[in-house]
Amino acid sequence: MLSMQRSNVSGPAVLGPLSNHSQGGAVMAAVARRDNLTMGKSVAAAGSPMAAGLSMTLGVLSNIVALIILAKAYAQLRRRSKATFLLFASSLVVTDFAGHIIPGALVMHLYLSGGVSLPRDSDDALCQFLGGSMVFFGLCPLFLGCAMAAERCLGVTQPLLHASLVTKARTKLCLCVIWLAALCVALLPTFQLGAYTYQYPGTWCFIKVLENTRGSDVAFVLLFSGLGLTSLAVALVCNTISGLTLVLARLRKKLCNRRSAKSHDIEMVVQLVGIMVTSCICWSPLLIFGLMSVTHSYNSSLGQDVDIYKTLMVMGVRLASWNQILDPWVYILLRRAVLRKIYFITKQRADLKGSTFRRWEISSFQSSEKNAVNRI
């Protein structure tokens, strides 16, 4: 395509002599058309505004439904451990909701305006705010998932210590610390540690990981990805310990009067495992691709693979955006009421198939007896 456009640019010189001024104008017009065409194709390759709008609408509706369910559950709760979990879960859903609306609206604005031509000076306020929002709303769910897993691990393994340490006031303080820590990381580029820049195809901003990276950019990506991956690892360890503890308690059948409490604990741990799996699937690619890209860019070893890394970053951010859509559905679908209904429906179908199979066996046995008597 570029060679075709270059031949079109040089075509007028063959047709007839032109002045230097007219030749320069023709070249500039052709280059402008080429850049606009390239940018348009890049935006089209990244996805249509219709698809982005549908995913944004789905995320908003999912978070609203989850908030309504959490509000009803909080109003009907009777256990303090459940209240702490619901407070964390509500904060996670609210954070996902805000993280879906704020960056999503800015990305939609860039989509509808056709994106920006790259490379582009990223010192404008829009890019800085969008990049900071993506870092802030990216770290918050990971931190919250880690805190929820640690809280449940303490509640399952050390219930007495949990009852004495975990209170509503301390839970709210923990939430404030999490949001403040994520905000401090997002504001680091204002102190010249790292930078936000427009990313391919010019419709979103994120940490600079490609082209002209400096040591501060590498440090910023290492901090962001390191905190995210560490949160996922801690959540994995805590949920594994909680799950094993509950399984062992069920197998030993200790204290029959604590079965209802254990059912609550199992429900919360199952939901945490779902949140952790969703976060790992959605966020790990972006965290890992960011580390790979900035490392190769800093070492000047990208070469011809720069387009591949650009595509990987776009794939990573698309997966990460789905985390805010799927998180609410993890809580909506992995509730005891829903799981109980699924269990009963599955059991009824299994019983129906079993009864049909038994009736078929009896009828076939009776018919075989009749055939044997007739033969005799």
Side-chain angles (χ1 to χ4, degrees):
M1 180 62 72
L2 292 179
S3 61
M4 291 174 61
Q5 288 164 346
R6 288 194 185 100
S7 63
N8 290 337
V9 172
S10 59
V14 178
L15 294 175
L18 294 174
S19 64
N20 293 334
H21 179 73
S22 61
Q23 286 181 350
V27 170
M28 291 177 63
V31 171
R33 286 195 299 270
R34 182 189 65 190
D35 292 340
N36 291 334
L37 182 61
T38 304
M39 185 177 67
K41 287 185 175 181
S42 298
V43 174
S48 65
M50 182 65 69
L54 288 176
S55 66
M56 187 173 178
T57 303
L58 178 61
V60 170
L61 294 177
S62 303
N63 284 280
I64 290 175
V65 172
L67 281 174
I68 293 173
I69 294 175
L70 283 167
K72 290 183 178 179
Y74 195 83
Q76 298 173 358
L77 64 90
R78 296 178 181 177
R79 293 171 52 83
R80 194 174 74 175
S81 61
K82 185 72 174 178
T84 303
F85 179 82
L86 289 176
L87 188 58
F88 272 119
S90 302
S91 302
L92 176 62
V93 173
V94 170
T95 305
D96 283 337
F97 182 73
H100 202 70
I101 290 291
I102 297 174
L106 297 176
V107 171
M108 280 295 296
H109 170 72
L110 290 172
Y111 261 120
L112 296 176
S113 62
V116 299
S117 58
L118 298 176
R120 165 79 177 264
D121 185 15
S122 56
D123 290 335
D124 59 283
L126 177 62
C127 182
Q128 297 301 311
F129 183 76
L130 178 56
S133 298
M134 295 192 68
V135 170
F136 175 78
F137 290 114
L139 287 177
C140 280
L142 300 178
F143 288 169
L144 286 171
C146 178
M148 293 168 70
E151 184 269 335
R152 275 297 82 212
C153 183
L154 181 63
V156 170
T157 57
Q158 301 291 334
L160 296 179
L161 182 61
H162 177 273
S164 62
L165 287 180
V166 180
T167 61
K168 272 190 180 181
R170 289 176 178 172
T171 302
K172 293 178 181 178
L173 178 62
C174 179
L175 291 172
C176 293
V177 170
I178 287 174
W179 287 325
L180 182 61
L183 180 62
C184 289
V185 175
L187 292 177
L188 285 178
T190 60
F191 301 99
Q192 305 303 318
L193 180 58
Y196 298 122
T197 184
Y198 284 102
Q199 306 285 334
Y200 171 84
T203 55
W204 59 294
C205 284
F206 196 58
I207 306 170
K208 181 188 287 187
V209 295
L210 294 171
E211 299 174 355
N212 302 321
T213 53
R214 300 173 299 175
S216 58
D217 300 320
V218 178
F220 190 27
V221 176
L222 286 174
L223 178 64
F224 174 74
S225 298
L227 289 173
L229 293 174
T230 301
S231 300
L232 292 174
V234 173
L236 175 62
V237 172
C238 292
N239 288 328
T240 302
I241 294 173
S242 300
L244 291 176
T245 303
L246 291 175
V247 170
L248 291 175
R250 284 285 182 177
L251 293 176
R252 293 171 185 170
K253 295 183 180 179
K254 290 182 178 180
L255 300 175
C256 295
N257 59 345
R258 294 185 61 187
R259 283 181 182 175
S260 60
K262 291 297 182 183
S263 64
H264 281 287
D265 290 335
I266 290 174
E267 178 191 22
M268 290 185 282
V269 171
V270 168
Q271 291 172 349
L272 284 176
V273 170
I275 292 172
M276 179 196 66
V277 171
T278 303
S279 298
C280 287
I281 294 173
C282 293
W283 272 103
S284 294
L286 182 61
L287 298 174
I288 295 173
F289 292 159
L291 283 174
M292 293 169 54
S293 301
V294 76
T295 302
H296 287 84
S297 176
Y298 185 71
N299 294 329
S300 301
S301 58
L302 283 176
Q304 301 297 325
D305 297 333
V306 62
D307 292 334
I308 297 176
Y309 284 99
K310 288 180 180 179
T311 306
L312 289 176
M313 290 298 295
V314 173
M315 292 172 55
V317 78
R318 283 179 176 175
L319 278 174
S321 66
W322 275 95
N323 182 73
Q324 297 158 342
I325 300 174
L326 297 177
D327 267 349
W329 286 105
V330 170
Y331 181 79
I332 292 171
L333 297 178
L334 296 184
R335 291 177 296 136
R336 280 192 307 162
V338 177
L339 294 177
R340 190 180 292 117
K341 288 180 181 178
I342 296 173
Y343 171 75
F344 284 138
I345 292 172
T346 307
K347 186 177 180 182
Q348 288 176 357
R349 290 186 176 181
D351 292 341
L352 181 61
K353 289 181 180 179
S355 61
T356 304
F357 180 72
R358 284 194 297 270
R359 286 199 300 270
W360 179 78
E361 277 187 329
I362 293 172
S363 62
S364 63
F365 178 72
Q366 290 176 350
S367 63
S368 63
E369 280 188 334
K370 290 180 181 180
N371 293 331
V373 170
N374 292 331
R375 288 176 182 174
I376 293 173

